[in-house]
Structure formats: structure tokens, C-alpha cells
Amino acid sequence: MGSRTPEQVAADDALTAAIEQVLQAYGDDQAYILTEYVVVTSQQRFDEDGDGITAIGCINRDSDVPYHRVLGLLEFAATRTRKDIATDDDE
């Protein structure tokens, strides 16, 4: 991606810290080290006609995770999610 601005570095550091805090809060006390992540976002706005426009994006650690690894993380997470949905007895 190239060099990041100081604002981008600060935002990336804050996001990483927030993800680490969530992992610790919901984790199982085992010592894991966060190495990579992909955050999937959905944003919406309205055009001049009032029609909704949705933008889907991905944010990855320090904007520096190679595409093949981003895709691997997304595909693996999607596969696990499909399994969870398929085996959810509450549905």
C-alpha cells in the first residue's frame, strides 16, 4: 500500500488494540498472539435521488496483509460460519 500517514498509523494501532481487547474479553485465557485480521465493514449512504447505496469494505492489519492471506482468512471464516449456521439447533 505504501507509507501510511501518522493518522492512519494511529487509527491502525487503535483498531489493533481494540481487537486485542475484545479477544481478551471473550477469550479462553490461552496465550495467543494476534498476527493478522480482516474487519469487514458495511456502510450506507443515500444518493441525490434518495436511493440507498451500500459500500462493503475490508480493513486489514496495518493495510499490509497480502491479498492471498486476506482471502484465506475470509474464506476460512465464511466456512466456519456456514458450519455454525448449519449445525445451530436453535434455528
Side-chain angles (χ1 to χ4, degrees), residues 3-73:
S3 62
R4 297 177 292 152
T5 67
E7 293 82 6
Q8 290 169 328
V9 171
D12 287 339
D13 290 348
L15 179 58
T16 299
I19 290 170
E20 288 174 334
Q21 183 179 5
V22 169
L23 290 171
Q24 184 177 17
Y26 288 93
D28 59 6
D29 292 336
Q30 292 188 14
Y32 287 100
I33 297 171
L34 178 63
T35 57
E36 297 171 339
Y37 57 76
V38 177
V39 176
V40 179
T41 65
S42 176
Q43 303 173 65
Q44 185 148 5
R45 69 177 180 87
F46 297 93
D47 66 14
E48 55 278 347
D49 295 325
D51 296 324
I53 300 172
T54 301
I56 306 296
C58 293
I59 301 167
N60 56 72
R61 187 169 193 161
D62 299 334
S63 299
D64 196 30
V65 178
Y67 286 130
H68 68 281
R69 295 183 75 156
V70 169
L71 185 57
L73 288 167

Side-chain angles (χ1 to χ4, degrees), residues 69-89:
R69 295 183 75 156
V70 169
L71 185 57
L73 288 167
L74 292 171
E75 288 290 338
F76 185 80
T79 299
R80 287 184 65 175
T81 301
R82 285 185 192 95
K83 177 187 176 282
D84 290 346
I85 291 168
T87 59
D88 186 1
D89 294 334

